[in-house]
Structures are given as C-alpha cells and as structure tokens.
Amino acid sequence: MIVKSLRLLTALAVAALAATACGKEGTPPVKGPSAAELPKYQVAQGFSLPDSKTWKKADKRGHFVVGAKEDQPYLGEKNPANGVYSGFDIEIAKMISASLGLDPKKISFKTIASANRETALQNGQIDYYVGTYTINDNRKKLVGFGGPYYMAGQSLLVRTDEDDIHGPQDLDGKRVCSAAGSTPYQRIQADYPKAELVAYDTYSVCVDNLLTYQVDAVTTDDAILLGYAAKVPDELKLVGKPFSEEPYGIGVPRSDNALRFAVDTALAQREKDGDWKKAYDATLGLSGVPAPKPPAIDRYPAS
Ligand code: GLU
C-alpha cells in the first residue's frame, strides 16, 4: 500500500516535471525510443533446431515466450496504455527470435523480476530471458547464457541535491536501495557492509523511494540508472565511476545447449550486419552514451 502510494506520488511528480519542462522555452522534450529508426528483422526461412527442446516447443506454439523487465527506461519498458514492450533488451530478444525462424512480432513478453529469473527459466515459464541479466558463475550453475551482448557496470544514483555521496566508499550509514536477487545488491552486502541496504523487487520502486527521500541512493548498473536520470535530469544524477563489470547475457534453460549456441550464432550475425548497432542507437543510445563495441561472445563449452 505504501509502495503503491509512493509510486503514484512519483508518477505525479514526473508528470508535473514533464509539464513544466514542456512549458519552458528551449527545454528539449524528454527523449524516448523512436520506432522509425528501429531495424526490421528478417525472419530466417526454413530454420530448424531439432536438438533444442525449447525451440521445438516454441515452434509448435508459433512464437517464443520471452522474460523481460518492464520498468527500465531504454532497456525494457512496457507501455501501460497498450502493453507493448520496447527498449534495447527487447530488440535483442526480437533479433534472436527472427534469426531462429520465429516472427519477432509474435513474441509474448512476460515481466520477470531479478530474483525470479532462474526459476522462470528452470520451470519453463519462459523460453529465454533478456533483461539486464549479468552472466556469472553462480548463475551459470542454474541457467545457461548466450552472449554477452553488452557490458554494463555498477553505479550509484542520487538526488541532485545530494553532496555527500561520490562513490561506494561514501555509503556507510546511508540508506541504499537495490533489487532483491541482483548482483549490485550482493556486492554492496559483501563489500560495503556498513551501508543500510533496502531491497525491493524492482529498481523503479527504489527510484520512487529516492525521489521521496526514503533512501539516499539507488545502486545498480549504469545502463539502468542512466535511463532513470534521463527521465528527470533536474532531480537525479549518477555519481562516481562504475565499480564492477556486468556482462549482459541472454538467459536460456541450463540443459539446452543447442539453443544457447544458436543464440550466440544469431547474436554474432546481428552484430556483423549492423542490426545490433542500429537497435542500440534507437534505444539505449538515447540515454546519452554512443554505441560501444559489443563485448566478445563467450560461447563456453557445454558441461
Ligand atoms: N545486471 C544486474 C543483475 O543481473 C543488475 C540488473 C538487474 O537486476 O537486472 O543482477
């Protein structure tokens, strides 16, 4: 209930800010992904992956079911008015679907929070997952990872009126919010035990709490935080340098190596033919960082 009213409060605050911004002469409008510049992904004809249980199930169904985030600007966002998902992660999900022979327009996206990703892949709720999902050895025991397709780094988001926090070394006694089950949460817990950690299911609730002075900082990947800051630049800022490496992978069921290798091949092709960059420029690129070179695809052996 408290969370709900806070979210509403923030929605109102953001709406009011947007209204003032529009009224101010010379203030650029808040940017959003522009559909016109997004690549159109050619669906591979006659593609077949008989060794993948996941692919066969999806092929029979006629589309993939993909796990994603719905509240991460420029990465994975769901339009509340029409239920349509957009952002860089969503584009990655679409380009892979097309390369694997299934129409990306038919993908059924399901919002899955950070803490529930492994279970969703393990119990077959989703075929694959694209949502700021860091590849690491612990998670590799539970799921497989295609990619990486992007390299992020943990950072800190504070209010623009905050002067005391410049990096993780300043978090002692500060209230720091992150998502349950995330690597940034785990890193603060392990390396900065004097910070007062607060966990929610999603980062947008953390940002609501930051705007209403319930917490002092939000921590997660810079790619995610840049999106929130870009929406209300007068209220929020990133501080310090990234203090981790977060390689984003495409989560697949642990036993489905055929699917994982096919995802890696698809991604490599999309990086080569320019679709990766085109997709980045039309989505995450709008938060202000020019397209980097994508990280090397890992393609680790089956075990
Ligand atoms: N990349 C980090 C993770 O996978 C943080 C972002 C997220 O929670 O999705 O845990």
Side-chain angles (χ1 to χ4, degrees):
M1 198 52 210
I2 292 173
V3 165
K4 241 187 166 165
S5 58
L6 278 174
R7 296 206 62 163
L8 184 69
L9 228 164
T10 313
L12 290 175
V14 172
L17 273 166
T20 353
C22 290
K24 245 192 274 169
E25 224 179 327
T27 310
V30 176
K31 287 183 189 169
S34 146
E37 297 156 31
L38 290 170
K40 291 207 175 21
Y41 309 110
Q42 195 110 40
V43 181
Q45 296 302 306
F47 181 91
S48 178
L49 200 59
D51 291 344
S52 165
K53 251 166 92 177
T54 316
W55 184 87
K56 281 197 290 189
K57 204 171 64 180
D59 185 48
K60 218 174 191 175
R61 198 196 286 129
H63 63 88
F64 280 114
V65 178
V66 177
K69 295 288 182 72
E70 67 170 39
D71 61 343
Q72 297 184 174
Y74 307 113
L75 285 157
E77 257 187 309
K78 183 178 170 181
N79 180 334
N82 58 16
V84 173
Y85 287 73
S86 64
F88 186 55
D89 285 336
I90 304 304
E91 292 305 310
I92 296 289
K94 286 182 179 171
M95 59 181 85
I96 282 162
S97 171
S99 294
L100 269 50
L102 296 179
D103 189 347
K105 289 196 219 64
K106 291 196 189 146
I107 293 177
S108 163
F109 284 102
K110 271 201 178 127
T111 300
I112 309 278
S114 298
N116 303 331
R117 294 182 279 212
E118 290 80 24
T119 331
L121 284 166
Q122 282 170 329
N123 66 20
Q125 218 184 323
I126 52 174
D127 298 324
Y128 57 94
Y129 186 95
V130 194
T132 61
Y133 197 7
T134 294
I135 303 170
N136 66 30
D137 288 344
N138 272 340
R139 289 174 177 169
K140 272 188 186 169
K141 290 178 194 148
L142 306 170
V143 302
F145 284 104
Y149 62 90
Y150 183 78
M151 183 63 81
Q154 183 167 355
S155 194
L156 293 168
L157 184 73
V158 298
R159 290 178 302 272
T160 41
D161 63 10
E162 171 67 59
D163 292 325
D164 296 341
I165 302 173
H166 306 285
Q169 71 282 356
D170 301 324
L171 294 177
D172 288 8
K174 300 284 185 193
R175 289 160 304 175
V176 185
C177 194
S178 196
S182 69
T183 48
Y185 178 91
Q186 290 157 6
R187 189 166 294 105
I188 297 294
Q189 197 172 38
D191 299 348
Y192 303 94
K194 288 188 181 145
E196 254 181 66
L197 256 179
V198 179
Y200 287 102
D201 286 345
T202 63
Y203 299 109
S204 54
V205 174
C206 282
V207 172
D208 289 349
N209 278 261
L210 180 62
L211 286 165
T212 52
Y213 291 76
Q214 312 295 309
V215 298
D216 303 305
V218 176
T219 188
T220 186
D221 307 334
D222 48 2
I224 302 173
L225 297 178
L226 276 168
Y228 293 121
K231 298 266 163 167
V232 280
D234 294 342
E235 301 284 301
L236 301 173
K237 64 180 180 189
L238 270 78
V239 286
K241 287 201 179 75
F243 50 99
S244 76
E245 283 199 333
E246 308 289 331
Y248 287 174
I250 296 134
V252 298
R254 170 80 161 81
S255 59
D256 204 333
N257 290 299
L259 179 66
R260 177 160 63 83
F261 292 134
V263 163
D264 280 343
T265 304
L267 183 62
Q269 181 57 39
R270 298 291 174 179
E271 289 176 2
K272 211 170 118 197
D273 69 14
D275 279 347
W276 183 97
K277 180 171 185 302
K278 222 168 156 187
Y280 179 93
D281 287 343
T283 55
L284 194 49
L286 298 176
S287 64
V289 182
K293 205 168 123 12
I297 294 170
D298 193 7
R299 214 182 173 92
Y300 58 92
S303 64

